[in-house]
Amino acid sequence: MTEIINKIVLDLETQKDFAEAGGRNKHHLLRVSVAGIYSYPDDQYLIFEESEVPKLAEYLEAADLIIGFNNLQFDHEVLQPYLNFSLKKVPVLDLLAEIEKVLGHRISLESVAQATLGVGKTGSGLNAIRLWKSGQIDKLKQYCLDDVKLTREVYEYAANNGKLMYQDFFDTREIPLIFPEAFKRTNVVRQSSLF
């Protein structure tokens, strides 16, 4: 059994939106503009441009757990064509998927972060595409890393408190989220039954 010591928080931005790619099932045509991670073992945020995805791949393939928000249905689908290994082989904690299991529907990272942490996103995915197209790469990188940081803080809040909050019209509501112990701490042996 392996200890989960190598956790990675992942977020990426794309060069195109779904309309430009030809539909919502065309993730492989969206293309990575930048991808950001937080590496728990290195205690470091890192950013990668499309040409640097092979370096990002080294972090992902070595990870004991990849944490994200909608990473299973978006980030991983966009990244997979760039990789020579299957992301399905790496354990994943998709916060949105966990929230959807409880609520029965999807909600935005913005809604969760505002209600849980009192801070929100610094932009939107569509704005990130505009930054890419206008060549504002430094701003794009900062936006992506801001989302990585927000996702990390949401994950840590849920792991430490067993819940998240979200804004439901005028009410703030609670989402109970209990992660397996192996997902919460870095010194816990992974349970083979979880994967």
Side-chain angles (χ1 to χ4, degrees), residues 152-163:
R152 175 190 172 198
E153 290 174 357
V154 165
Y155 157 69
E156 289 178 357
Y157 185 95
N160 292 328
N161 297 284
K163 66 180 179 180

Side-chain angles (χ1 to χ4, degrees), residues 5 9 11 16 25-26 28 49 51 68 74 87 97-98 104 107 130 154 157 166:
I5 56 174
V9 179
D11 185 61
K16 301 176 182 178
N25 60 344
K26 307 280 186 175
H28 63 288
E49 294 184 26
S51 64
F74 186 77
L87 280 169
E98 296 301 312
I107 57 177
R130 285 191 283 277
V154 165
Y157 185 95
Y166 74 105

Side-chain angles (χ1 to χ4, degrees), residues 133-148:
K133 290 181 177 180
S134 64
Q136 298 180 68
I137 305 305
D138 288 342
K139 286 184 179 178
L140 175 61
K141 288 178 176 180
Q142 188 57 59
Y143 166 72
C144 184
L145 288 177
D146 288 346
D147 267 9
V148 173

Side-chain angles (χ1 to χ4, degrees), residues 87-157:
L87 280 169
K88 293 179 179 171
K89 293 182 178 178
V90 183
V92 173
L93 177 60
D94 184 332
L95 294 167
L96 180 57
E98 296 301 312
I99 289 168
E100 191 173 9
K101 286 179 194 172
V102 175
L103 296 181
H105 60 85
R106 298 161 64 88
I107 57 177
S108 69
L109 177 58
E110 174 71 12
S111 172
V112 172
Q114 283 286 358
T116 304
L117 307 171
V119 296
K121 289 169 58 73
T122 57
S124 70
L126 292 177
N127 188 54
I129 293 170
R130 285 191 283 277
L131 291 173
W132 164 257
K133 290 181 177 180
S134 64
Q136 298 180 68
I137 305 305
D138 288 342
K139 286 184 179 178
L140 175 61
K141 288 178 176 180
Q142 188 57 59
Y143 166 72
C144 184
L145 288 177
D146 288 346
D147 267 9
V148 173
K149 182 175 187 273
L150 203 58
T151 302
R152 175 190 172 198
E153 290 174 357
V154 165
Y155 157 69
E156 289 178 357
Y157 185 95

